[in-house]
Amino acid sequence: MAAENGSTGNSPRSKIALITGITGQDGSYLTELLISKNYEVHGLIRRSSSFNTQRINHIYIDPHNTYRAKMKLHYADLSDASSLRRWLDIILPDEIYNLAAQSHVAVSFEIPDYTADVVATGALRFLEALRSHISATGRSHVKYYQAGSSEMFGSTPPPQSESTPFHPRSPYAVSKCSAHWYTVNYREAYGIFACNGILFNHESPRRGENFVTRKITRAVGRIKIGLQSKVFLGNLQASRDWGFAGDYVEAMWMMLQQEKPDDYVVATEDSHTVEEFLEVAFMYVGLNWKEHVEIDKRYFRPTEVDNLKGDASKAKKVLGWKPKVGFEQLVKMMVDEDVELAKREKVLVDAGYIDAQQQP
């Protein structure tokens, strides 16, 4: 007789993970990590008229191939509580990673209602769905991870640790603060194993192109190959603690392997300005950033966050986590990928398939 979830006899069954935001940067790296640890991974995705699964296409295997398909995708939305509860009841996950968000800080000023609904109330919907699921099924072992952000610290001076007061400076950051405290509340009120990961900025070649780091490295590649001449940016003096997303998802997983739930700052403890990022990226390919960068006031936020630098000593001590990729290695990794991307783009431009004049 087949045991639960396809395991047979006395062989241990794979853990089951449920990920929201699986199509994002962090979701793709986390999926790779969990599959390498023999998890069965389920991702919740929004319905879209255009495909947005490019970050996980290399992982995807048709679910009809039952024994090879370790990742399965399901339609749901953090704005739809019924879909969250339904998939909890069907998938029966052991671990939940709530990574989904409207995650662009500047855009949150343009669509604050939507940002709050998905980031703040969305987390509440998921936590309440989990509480109800546990109450109905008795599956009290389920563990929940909530993706926090260093933006919650806002204008509070660095270094920032788990005990540092929050002073959010954007609708996104305020919403993340709400999600953080909802998670703490459900942990304390209902005994749910729920953790907050307060992750400082983490980047990779999979970062969205409208985030400043990827915007820079994408421009470096295109400028080097001759497809672009300028890139328009905002505040170059903003300082951030930048790490590699592939390192940070490991910390997420580690949090849910502990005996007791808790909250952790995840950071490199090293900060750099946007200008420093520019210098490393452009210099790496033999260019002078000052010849290609122009300041556009539209990219300044109504309320700026000047300096974020984490104190990750708790994560190092309790989880045994530490970053593997340093700042310069991260920048060069991203530039290498974007130079190769620009080369492929140049082939299409030269063949007349696309127009290179989309950028000045």
Side-chain angles (χ1 to χ4, degrees):
M1 179 178 176
E4 185 181 0
N5 296 315
S7 60
T8 57
N10 295 320
S11 61
R13 78 170 178 89
S14 299
K15 278 189 177 180
I16 299 175
L18 176 58
I19 303 173
T20 70
I22 194 170
T23 60
Q25 169 188 250
D26 294 5
S28 66
Y29 282 113
L30 179 61
T31 299
E32 289 174 342
L33 175 70
L34 295 179
I35 288 176
S36 75
K37 296 181 181 294
N38 199 37
Y39 277 65
E40 178 183 317
V41 177
H42 294 259
L44 301 185
I45 61 172
R46 291 175 295 165
R47 193 271 167 189
S48 174
S49 57
S50 57
F51 286 112
N52 61 353
T53 57
Q54 59 270 24
R55 294 186 182 95
I56 55 173
N57 283 343
H58 65 290
I59 311 171
Y60 184 79
I61 296 173
D62 190 296
H64 294 97
N65 196 336
T66 309
Y67 296 104
R68 290 192 62 215
K70 294 292 186 180
M71 177 189 71
K72 298 178 175 67
L73 303 177
H74 315 279
Y75 286 115
D77 199 293
L78 286 176
S79 63
D80 184 350
S82 64
S83 68
L84 302 177
R85 175 60 197 275
R86 181 174 67 255
W87 286 118
L88 281 176
D89 290 345
I90 293 172
I91 295 167
L92 300 175
D94 301 299
E95 296 174 5
I96 298 167
Y97 297 87
N98 185 27
L99 312 183
Q102 188 303 99
S103 60
H104 198 285
V105 175
V107 172
S108 76
F109 286 99
E110 304 293 329
I111 48 172
D113 288 11
Y114 174 75
T115 300
D117 185 47
V118 171
V119 178
T121 311
L124 176 61
R125 291 187 189 103
F126 213 153
L127 285 161
E128 178 57 21
L130 177 57
R131 183 203 64 78
S132 178
H133 171 77
I134 291 172
S135 178
T137 64
R139 302 181 69 250
S140 58
H141 72 281
V142 182
K143 298 180 178 182
Y144 175 92
Y145 170 84
Q146 174 61 41
S149 168
S150 58
E151 289 287 335
M152 299 189 298
F153 295 118
S155 60
T156 306
Q160 294 104 354
S161 70
E162 294 82 3
S163 59
T164 302
F166 297 143
H167 191 149
R169 300 268 285 173
S170 66
Y172 167 76
V174 173
S175 300
K176 279 295 187 184
C177 285
S178 295
H180 176 96
W181 288 116
Y182 284 139
T183 302
V184 171
N185 180 245
Y186 270 67
R187 181 171 70 214
E188 295 176 351
Y190 304 112
I192 294 174
F193 193 111
C195 298
N196 284 296
I198 307 172
L199 273 58
F200 279 65
N201 294 64
H202 44 291
E203 319 297 317
S204 76
R206 300 179 193 175
R207 189 58 139 154
E209 292 185 23
N210 59 347
F211 287 83
V212 67
T213 50
R214 185 73 198 290
K215 184 177 181 180
I216 291 170
T217 60
R218 187 78 171 93
V220 167
R222 298 183 94 247
I223 291 168
K224 182 66 177 176
I225 301 303
L227 297 173
Q228 186 175 329
S229 60
K230 299 287 185 183
V231 59
F232 297 87
L233 301 171
N235 181 12
L236 303 188
Q237 299 313 310
S239 186
R240 295 292 183 270
D241 185 331
W242 278 303
F244 173 52
D247 291 342
Y248 284 40
V249 299
E250 191 171 1
M252 300 177 188
W253 175 78
M254 286 177 168
M255 292 178 206
L256 297 195
Q257 311 316 307
Q258 304 305 304
E259 289 187 10
K260 295 181 179 179
D262 208 344
D263 307 323
Y264 299 89
V265 161
V266 179
T268 69
E269 302 183 331
D270 185 23
S271 64
H272 299 270
T273 63
V274 175
E275 185 173 317
E276 289 176 82
F277 195 104
L278 280 168
E279 288 175 351
V280 174
F282 275 84
M283 191 180 301
Y284 182 48
V285 295
L287 296 174
N288 181 353
W289 70 268
K290 294 180 180 179
E291 296 175 2
H292 301 282
V293 174
E294 292 192 14
I295 303 301
D296 187 335
K297 290 184 178 179
R298 80 179 71 181
Y299 297 121
F300 284 81
R301 302 176 188 173
T303 42
E304 287 285 347
V305 174
D306 296 323
N307 193 356
L308 295 174
K309 183 178 180 180
D311 174 1
S313 53
K314 179 178 175 182
K316 289 178 179 178
K317 180 180 179 181
V318 178
L319 304 179
W321 177 88
K322 62 180 180 179
K324 301 181 183 75
V325 178
F327 175 70
E328 289 202 10
Q329 184 183 354
L330 171 65
V331 178
K332 291 174 181 179
M333 173 201 305
M334 294 174 68
V335 171
D336 283 339
E337 289 278 348
D338 279 327
V339 167
E340 290 304 310
L341 179 59
K343 288 178 181 177
R344 295 195 295 273
E345 188 179 359
K346 180 80 161 53
V347 172
L348 296 175
V349 170
D350 291 345
Y353 289 112
I354 60 174
D355 179 10
Q357 304 306 315
Q358 297 168 356
Q359 297 279 353

mmCIF file of all heavy atoms in Angstrom, residues 23 61 85 87 103 116 135-136 153-154 164 195 198-199 209 223 251 270 314 323 326 332:
data_model
loop_
_atom_site.group_PDB
_atom_site.id
_atom_site.type_symbol
_atom_site.label_atom_id
_atom_site.label_comp_id
_atom_site.label_asym_id
_atom_site.label_seq_id
_atom_site.Cartn_x
_atom_site.Cartn_y
_atom_site.Cartn_z
ATOM 1 N N THR A 23 7.761 32.737 -8.228
ATOM 2 C CA THR A 23 8.297 33.196 -9.511
ATOM 3 C C THR A 23 9.290 34.344 -9.364
ATOM 4 O O THR A 23 9.884 34.777 -10.346
ATOM 5 C CB THR A 23 7.159 33.651 -10.450
ATOM 6 O OG1 THR A 23 6.439 34.719 -9.824
ATOM 7 C CG2 THR A 23 6.213 32.503 -10.766
ATOM 8 N N ILE A 61 9.073 20.782 -14.493
ATOM 9 C CA ILE A 61 8.863 19.531 -15.217
ATOM 10 C C ILE A 61 7.361 19.282 -15.230
ATOM 11 O O ILE A 61 6.679 19.464 -14.221
ATOM 12 C CB ILE A 61 9.593 18.352 -14.535
ATOM 13 C CG1 ILE A 61 11.113 18.577 -14.576
ATOM 14 C CG2 ILE A 61 9.242 17.021 -15.183
ATOM 15 C CD1 ILE A 61 11.904 17.549 -13.783
ATOM 16 N N ARG A 85 -6.656 29.107 1.885
ATOM 17 C CA ARG A 85 -7.119 28.019 2.750
ATOM 18 C C ARG A 85 -7.311 26.731 1.941
ATOM 19 O O ARG A 85 -6.960 25.623 2.405
ATOM 20 C CB ARG A 85 -8.439 28.417 3.431
ATOM 21 C CG ARG A 85 -9.071 27.303 4.269
ATOM 22 C CD ARG A 85 -8.159 26.829 5.405
ATOM 23 N NE ARG A 85 -8.581 25.552 5.937
ATOM 24 C CZ ARG A 85 -9.507 25.385 6.888
ATOM 25 N NH1 ARG A 85 -10.096 26.450 7.416
ATOM 26 N NH2 ARG A 85 -9.825 24.192 7.309
ATOM 27 N N TRP A 87 -5.747 25.668 -0.762
ATOM 28 C CA TRP A 87 -4.496 25.007 -1.104
ATOM 29 C C TRP A 87 -3.770 24.457 0.123
ATOM 30 O O TRP A 87 -3.080 23.430 0.041
ATOM 31 C CB TRP A 87 -3.588 25.934 -1.908
ATOM 32 C CG TRP A 87 -4.068 26.100 -3.328
ATOM 33 C CD1 TRP A 87 -4.468 27.246 -3.940
ATOM 34 C CD2 TRP A 87 -4.210 25.060 -4.293
ATOM 35 N NE1 TRP A 87 -4.857 26.985 -5.232
ATOM 36 C CE2 TRP A 87 -4.701 25.661 -5.482
ATOM 37 C CE3 TRP A 87 -3.970 23.684 -4.281
ATOM 38 C CZ2 TRP A 87 -4.961 24.930 -6.637
ATOM 39 C CZ3 TRP A 87 -4.232 22.949 -5.434
ATOM 40 C CH2 TRP A 87 -4.721 23.565 -6.593
ATOM 41 N N SER A 103 6.856 44.377 -4.111
ATOM 42 C CA SER A 103 8.110 44.550 -3.370
ATOM 43 C C SER A 103 8.937 45.754 -3.785
ATOM 44 O O SER A 103 10.065 45.906 -3.308
ATOM 45 C CB SER A 103 8.960 43.281 -3.509
ATOM 46 O OG SER A 103 9.251 43.025 -4.870
ATOM 47 N N ALA A 116 -0.512 47.707 0.505
ATOM 48 C CA ALA A 116 -0.960 47.340 1.856
ATOM 49 C C ALA A 116 -1.823 46.081 1.831
ATOM 50 O O ALA A 116 -1.716 45.218 2.708
ATOM 51 C CB ALA A 116 -1.726 48.493 2.481
ATOM 52 N N SER A 135 -6.372 24.302 13.267
ATOM 53 C CA SER A 135 -7.491 24.036 14.176
ATOM 54 C C SER A 135 -8.368 22.899 13.659
ATOM 55 O O SER A 135 -8.831 22.054 14.429
ATOM 56 C CB SER A 135 -8.333 25.302 14.355
ATOM 57 O OG SER A 135 -9.449 25.063 15.187
ATOM 58 N N ALA A 136 -8.558 22.856 12.334
ATOM 59 C CA ALA A 136 -9.445 21.851 11.751
ATOM 60 C C ALA A 136 -8.769 20.500 11.592
ATOM 61 O O ALA A 136 -9.427 19.451 11.661
ATOM 62 C CB ALA A 136 -9.954 22.334 10.393
ATOM 63 N N PHE A 153 13.234 49.342 9.053
ATOM 64 C CA PHE A 153 14.023 50.186 9.954
ATOM 65 C C PHE A 153 14.023 51.640 9.502
ATOM 66 O O PHE A 153 14.128 52.562 10.321
ATOM 67 C CB PHE A 153 15.459 49.666 10.052
ATOM 68 C CG PHE A 153 15.574 48.317 10.688
ATOM 69 C CD1 PHE A 153 16.093 47.235 9.981
ATOM 70 C CD2 PHE A 153 15.161 48.109 11.988
ATOM 71 C CE1 PHE A 153 16.204 45.982 10.564
ATOM 72 C CE2 PHE A 153 15.268 46.863 12.593
ATOM 73 C CZ PHE A 153 15.796 45.794 11.874
ATOM 74 N N GLY A 154 13.947 51.850 8.199
ATOM 75 C CA GLY A 154 13.800 53.194 7.668
ATOM 76 C C GLY A 154 14.868 54.175 8.116
ATOM 77 O O GLY A 154 16.049 54.018 7.822
ATOM 78 N N THR A 164 16.267 46.698 17.218
ATOM 79 C CA THR A 164 16.234 48.081 16.741
ATOM 80 C C THR A 164 14.792 48.491 16.435
ATOM 81 O O THR A 164 14.070 47.748 15.771
ATOM 82 C CB THR A 164 17.089 48.227 15.467
ATOM 83 O OG1 THR A 164 18.427 47.826 15.750
ATOM 84 C CG2 THR A 164 17.080 49.669 14.964
ATOM 85 N N CYS A 195 8.083 32.471 11.969
ATOM 86 C CA CYS A 195 9.325 33.238 12.048
ATOM 87 C C CYS A 195 9.294 34.430 11.098
ATOM 88 O O CYS A 195 8.727 34.348 10.003
ATOM 89 C CB CYS A 195 10.525 32.369 11.655
ATOM 90 S SG CYS A 195 10.812 30.941 12.716
ATOM 91 N N ILE A 198 14.153 39.229 8.761
ATOM 92 C CA ILE A 198 14.335 40.640 8.387
ATOM 93 C C ILE A 198 15.565 40.704 7.496
ATOM 94 O O ILE A 198 16.694 40.880 7.963
ATOM 95 C CB ILE A 198 14.479 41.526 9.639
ATOM 96 C CG1 ILE A 198 13.312 41.280 10.606
ATOM 97 C CG2 ILE A 198 14.555 43.007 9.242
ATOM 98 C CD1 ILE A 198 13.463 41.975 11.950
ATOM 99 N N LEU A 199 15.331 40.527 6.208
ATOM 100 C CA LEU A 199 16.432 40.411 5.252
ATOM 101 C C LEU A 199 16.829 41.777 4.707
ATOM 102 O O LEU A 199 15.979 42.537 4.241
ATOM 103 C CB LEU A 199 16.045 39.490 4.099
ATOM 104 C CG LEU A 199 16.307 37.993 4.329
ATOM 105 C CD1 LEU A 199 15.589 37.472 5.561
ATOM 106 C CD2 LEU A 199 15.912 37.190 3.091
ATOM 107 N N GLU A 209 14.567 44.019 -13.206
ATOM 108 C CA GLU A 209 15.343 45.054 -13.888
ATOM 109 C C GLU A 209 14.982 46.471 -13.461
ATOM 110 O O GLU A 209 15.683 47.418 -13.827
ATOM 111 C CB GLU A 209 15.191 44.911 -15.406
ATOM 112 C CG GLU A 209 15.857 43.658 -15.947
ATOM 113 C CD GLU A 209 15.816 43.568 -17.463
ATOM 114 O OE1 GLU A 209 15.686 44.625 -18.115
ATOM 115 O OE2 GLU A 209 15.907 42.449 -17.990
ATOM 116 N N ILE A 223 25.592 49.081 -22.433
ATOM 117 C CA ILE A 223 26.533 50.146 -22.821
ATOM 118 C C ILE A 223 27.817 49.543 -23.369
ATOM 119 O O ILE A 223 28.351 49.986 -24.386
ATOM 120 C CB ILE A 223 26.824 51.072 -21.617
ATOM 121 C CG1 ILE A 223 25.578 51.891 -21.269
ATOM 122 C CG2 ILE A 223 27.996 52.002 -21.916
ATOM 123 C CD1 ILE A 223 25.654 52.626 -19.933
ATOM 124 N N ALA A 251 19.249 31.044 4.836
ATOM 125 C CA ALA A 251 18.895 31.503 6.177
ATOM 126 C C ALA A 251 17.401 31.309 6.446
ATOM 127 O O ALA A 251 17.003 30.952 7.568
ATOM 128 C CB ALA A 251 19.279 32.971 6.348
ATOM 129 N N ASP A 270 27.923 44.841 6.062
ATOM 130 C CA ASP A 270 28.807 45.707 5.286
ATOM 131 C C ASP A 270 27.937 46.527 4.344
ATOM 132 O O ASP A 270 27.126 45.951 3.612
ATOM 133 C CB ASP A 270 29.799 44.842 4.487
ATOM 134 C CG ASP A 270 30.832 45.681 3.760
ATOM 135 O OD1 ASP A 270 31.072 46.826 4.169
ATOM 136 O OD2 ASP A 270 31.397 45.169 2.767
ATOM 137 N N LYS A 314 22.947 37.511 15.680
ATOM 138 C CA LYS A 314 22.033 36.484 16.187
ATOM 139 C C LYS A 314 21.908 35.334 15.181
ATOM 140 O O LYS A 314 21.955 34.157 15.567
ATOM 141 C CB LYS A 314 20.658 37.091 16.469
ATOM 142 C CG LYS A 314 19.628 36.095 16.986
ATOM 143 C CD LYS A 314 18.312 36.804 17.280
ATOM 144 C CE LYS A 314 17.219 35.833 17.694
ATOM 145 N NZ LYS A 314 15.932 36.526 17.936
ATOM 146 N N PRO A 323 27.128 34.872 5.269
ATOM 147 C CA PRO A 323 27.132 35.047 3.811
ATOM 148 C C PRO A 323 28.402 34.486 3.185
ATOM 149 O O PRO A 323 29.472 34.552 3.774
ATOM 150 C CB PRO A 323 27.054 36.570 3.635
ATOM 151 C CG PRO A 323 27.632 37.127 4.900
ATOM 152 C CD PRO A 323 27.262 36.162 5.988
ATOM 153 N N GLY A 326 30.696 38.063 -1.270
ATOM 154 C CA GLY A 326 30.971 39.434 -0.872
ATOM 155 C C GLY A 326 30.449 40.445 -1.878
ATOM 156 O O GLY A 326 29.998 40.087 -2.976
ATOM 157 N N LYS A 332 30.167 41.778 -9.684
ATOM 158 C CA LYS A 332 30.788 41.206 -10.884
ATOM 159 C C LYS A 332 29.975 40.031 -11.425
ATOM 160 O O LYS A 332 29.875 39.837 -12.645
ATOM 161 C CB LYS A 332 32.225 40.787 -10.561
ATOM 162 C CG LYS A 332 33.147 41.983 -10.302
ATOM 163 C CD LYS A 332 34.538 41.562 -9.846
ATOM 164 C CE LYS A 332 35.419 42.779 -9.580
ATOM 165 N NZ LYS A 332 36.774 42.406 -9.102
#
